[in-house]
Amino acid sequence: MAEEGVTVAGPFRLGLPAVIVHGGAGGWKGLRSEEEVVSAVRRAAEAAQGLNNAFDAVVEAIRVMEDSGVLNAGLGSVVNYEGEVEMDAGLMAGDLRVAGGVAAVRYPRNPIVLAAWVARNLPHVILAGPAADRLAERLGLPRHPGPQERMLKRWREMMRLINEGELDRLPGHAAAIARLYGGDTVGAAAVWPGGEAAAGTSTGGIMMKHPGRVGDSPVPGAGFYAENGVGACAATGIGETILLARPCIYAVELLREGVPVAAAAEAAVARHTRLMGGDNLGVILVSADGYAAAAMNTEAMPVAAAGPESRLAALLRRGGKIK
Ligand code: GLY
């Protein structure tokens, strides 16, 4: 029996290599096409299967979702209070040696590719702002084309409401209202034969956020966590709550203690709900033996998974199941 307010899907027996991805927990109100969104996560999980290791699989899965234009990351990123795209992304390998994140970047079309470069090449974990953008340009990474028209339309509508006094005029507070719409963040978690694990996330953050605001997505333990021989987790939701409660490290620690994957995902979301309230978190979790699960306390979250023994893709809805 699921904990009150927590929707759980799984366990899914995928076999190894195992990949699970999500396209963002949230309200998913005004969804133009469920098929478009489900297709984006399905393509991501399947593309990742073709890679040689868990780390590259996570990069590829997230790159595909960033390029889809229908999820809140990369091309489909929401905009901040000034109507500009500002993205965060991060990932780590389960050896706890290779991790990279980028925060509040505007230049790269694929922030996850820049984060992977940081992880592999720099003795730092997180790079932020204009210096990270200059690095992306120097590396010759493709440039982000700027906000989609549908995001600018939402932004203009919200600015109108703010100007008419119907919404709080402070950037972060307007974000609290904007977050009720759409989805949030993309993420991937993977385990390869032999136990190699990796996880990562990428996001445009929260609509109407304060310029310069950084969420959980580039931060290991919060937005993602992986440990070889144990498993990997990626989170989505309200970054401020995820930074403070760090559900991904909690979920992977439960796996290490022997808790089955669906129970661990559910417990991580239930704990988060107790600490932070509801409507703020989704997680995906994969264990070293090739089982995966998803859990959330929001209205919906697109999820896809792929392995040699099964594959699936669906929009998980509150109280629902993925068949
Ligand atoms: N979880 C993404 C964010 O809050 O920025």
Side-chain angles (χ1 to χ4, degrees):
M1 181 80 170
E3 292 233 19
E4 203 177 332
V6 182
T7 302
V8 191
F12 308 112
R13 182 175 154 160
L14 303 175
L16 295 174
V19 180
I20 183 163
V21 309
H22 71 76
W28 285 103
K29 292 187 177 134
L31 186 60
R32 287 177 311 172
S33 157
E34 181 168 330
E35 183 42 43
E36 213 173 31
V37 166
V38 172
S39 158
V41 291
R42 178 189 290 118
R43 280 186 280 114
E46 289 179 359
Q49 275 282 297
L51 277 291
N52 288 329
N53 59 68
F55 189 88
D56 288 346
V58 163
V59 176
E60 182 59 9
I62 293 177
R63 193 192 61 75
V64 168
M65 291 188 282
E66 288 175 340
D67 278 350
S68 73
V70 296
L71 304 169
N72 177 16
L75 297 184
S77 293
V78 298
V79 294
N80 67 15
Y81 195 78
E82 291 172 353
E84 287 164 342
V85 165
E86 240 179 23
M87 303 163 288
D88 302 334
L91 78 171
M92 69 183 286
D95 61 0
L96 310 187
R97 297 279 183 281
V98 179
V102 293
V105 291
R106 298 175 176 205
Y107 185 91
R109 171 185 171 115
N110 296 108
I112 196 67
V113 174
L114 183 60
W117 193 92
V118 170
R120 288 191 177 110
N121 295 287
L122 293 184
H124 309 310
V125 175
I126 300 177
L127 284 193
D133 282 329
R134 284 197 299 276
L135 174 65
E137 189 171 7
R138 224 166 44 235
L139 292 172
L141 298 184
R143 183 177 200 148
H144 195 287
Q148 292 177 332
E149 186 47 41
R150 70 184 173 108
M151 292 303 166
L152 291 175
K153 201 170 148 207
R154 268 169 68 186
W155 176 75
R156 284 192 289 266
E157 175 60 12
M158 295 203 72
M159 290 311 281
R160 184 184 66 76
L161 293 174
I162 288 166
N163 290 332
E164 288 171 4
E166 288 183 40
L167 272 187
D168 199 312
R169 56 196 315 279
L170 296 172
H173 296 268
I177 291 149
R179 79 190 191 199
L180 299 175
Y181 298 89
D184 159 88
T185 306
V186 305
V191 177
W192 245 236
E196 183 215 347
T201 66
S202 179
T203 189
I206 291 177
M207 179 93 190
M208 306 303 276
K209 65 187 178 182
H210 198 297
R213 175 265 191 191
V214 174
D216 59 297
S217 300
V219 181
F224 56 90
Y225 195 70
E227 202 174 310
N228 287 352
V230 180
C233 179
T236 159
I238 306 303
E240 284 71 14
T241 72
I242 300 171
L243 278 166
L244 291 169
R246 293 165 297 123
C248 283
I249 194 164
Y250 179 75
V252 173
E253 278 172 359
L254 290 180
L255 283 184
R256 196 189 318 111
E257 287 164 14
V259 177
V261 70
E266 178 177 357
V269 177
R271 169 182 170 271
H272 201 81
T273 308
R274 280 194 303 276
L275 292 173
M276 298 289 171
D279 266 327
N280 54 19
L281 181 70
V283 298
I284 50 171
L285 186 62
V286 58
S287 58
D289 57 358
Y291 285 80
M296 64 183 193
N297 64 11
T298 62
E299 278 302 319
M301 177 169 71
V303 177
E309 295 179 28
S310 63
R311 46 191 58 200
L312 57 101
L315 182 66
L316 177 63
R317 291 192 185 275
R318 197 189 286 278
K321 279 192 167 55
I322 296 180
K323 289 171 209 109

